[in-house]
Amino acid sequence: MIRRFGAWPAWAFMAVFFALPLGALLPEALGDGGGAFARLFANPLLPGALRNTLALGLTAGAVSALVGTAVAVELARQPPARRHWMMTLLSLPLAFSGLVIAYGFILAFGRAGFVTQLLAGLGADPAEVGSWIYGAVGLGMAYAYYLVPRVALSLYPVFVNLDLRPMQAARTLGATRWRAFRDTVLAEVAPSVLSNACLVAAIAMGTYGTALALVGTQLNILPLMLYAQVGDGGSDFGVAAALSLLLMALCVVVMGLGDVIARRRERGGAAGH
């Protein structure tokens, strides 16, 4: 099918689900001479929302990349039979929607959650123990719940196919354990880890379903600010379009950084051969 149609299905998909929505946003955001962007940048909540979105996305991406890398290493070390069912369990969070994940965290760690009630039985205050889930920390944990499997499943082939002979050769030639690891293994896997971190950071920045169900309007981030503009109380669709373009640009920049890292790795590997 690829030989027959080439890249046309991919281009058609991009046209329908990216180019057309973008084409609908641009006239709305630029229709009054850029006044929508002026109103958006005059909003006193925007700097805080931009800062919080970057902090939440980059933190969730970094944590998810670190934990996902550790999980991928462990997957690569398992025998095939055990690895198969571990990967099946690991992929389950990817099948849940953001709302389901948010409500699951509330049922587990909220003020009336079963984990909170177990801790309350040990003398903890449920109101205090169960409050963290409704803030930035709880939202970051909910994001990591489905971002860690994404990173682990993406990095698993990297560690399965990792060749340790260069590190052993470096050790034979007199390099220290850390120097051999840094110059061979770390140099090989770091670009993949960083590009995956950028990808999941962009996903965290643009997600709003989990944030809406978990923190509501208590956290000032761009997706919830956009939801407020297009919700029942919103009326300035020009600002909503401008905010959509700003959020898209932010995610594209972060994902583009990951793409640059991945391309440098490919060029480095080609040069090495």
Side-chain angles (χ1 to χ4, degrees):
M1 183 165 180
I2 294 178
R3 292 180 179 178
R4 182 176 180 181
F5 295 104
W8 284 109
W11 284 113
F13 180 88
M14 289 292 292
V16 173
F17 294 102
F18 180 75
L20 290 180
L22 180 61
L25 285 175
L26 287 174
E28 192 73 36
L30 303 174
D32 55 352
F37 280 100
R39 295 193 300 274
L40 173 63
F41 291 126
N43 191 331
L45 297 177
L46 181 63
L50 185 60
R51 182 174 59 250
N52 293 339
T53 301
L54 282 170
L56 179 62
L58 295 178
T59 302
V63 172
S64 300
L66 290 175
V67 178
T69 300
V71 174
V73 171
E74 187 62 27
L75 279 176
R77 295 172 54 189
Q78 299 301 317
R82 185 182 301 172
R83 183 190 305 155
H84 177 73
W85 67 259
M86 287 179 67
M87 292 179 68
T88 301
L89 292 177
L90 192 62
S91 62
L92 285 178
L94 300 178
F96 300 146
S97 71
L99 292 175
V100 172
I101 292 173
Y103 287 130
F105 268 74
I106 292 173
L107 291 175
F109 303 105
R111 295 183 180 91
F114 68 88
V115 174
T116 304
Q117 293 305 309
L118 289 176
L119 294 176
L122 299 176
D125 183 5
E128 182 177 350
V129 174
S131 61
W132 68 273
I133 194 65
Y134 302 104
V137 175
L139 184 57
M141 291 290 292
Y143 284 167
Y145 176 75
Y146 61 85
L147 293 179
V148 166
R150 187 183 297 269
V151 173
L153 294 176
S154 297
L155 292 179
Y156 153 73
V158 175
F159 291 101
V160 166
N161 299 311
L162 184 63
D163 188 0
L164 296 178
R165 288 177 297 181
M167 184 178 71
Q168 296 167 355
R171 291 283 291 151
T172 302
L173 294 174
T176 63
R177 186 183 300 273
W178 163 246
R179 179 69 181 272
F181 174 79
R182 184 192 66 186
D183 292 347
T184 58
V185 175
L186 190 60
E188 177 69 20
V189 303
S192 297
V193 173
L194 291 175
S195 61
N196 272 272
C198 292
L199 174 61
V200 295
I203 293 174
M205 289 178 188
T207 301
Y208 86 95
T210 306
L212 180 63
L214 200 58
V215 301
T217 58
Q218 301 178 53
L219 186 62
N220 183 26
I221 55 178
L222 292 179
L224 295 182
M225 191 175 177
L226 175 59
Y227 176 80
Q229 290 293 330
V230 299
D232 294 336
S235 58
D236 195 338
F237 294 105
V239 170
L243 185 55
S244 299
L245 294 174
L246 176 62
L247 181 58
M248 183 190 71
L250 185 65
C251 294
V252 167
V253 168
V254 175
M255 292 180 65
L257 178 62
D259 187 63
V260 168
I261 294 172
R263 288 179 182 274
R264 285 184 177 178
R265 178 181 182 273
E266 292 175 358
R267 288 198 296 268
H273 291 293

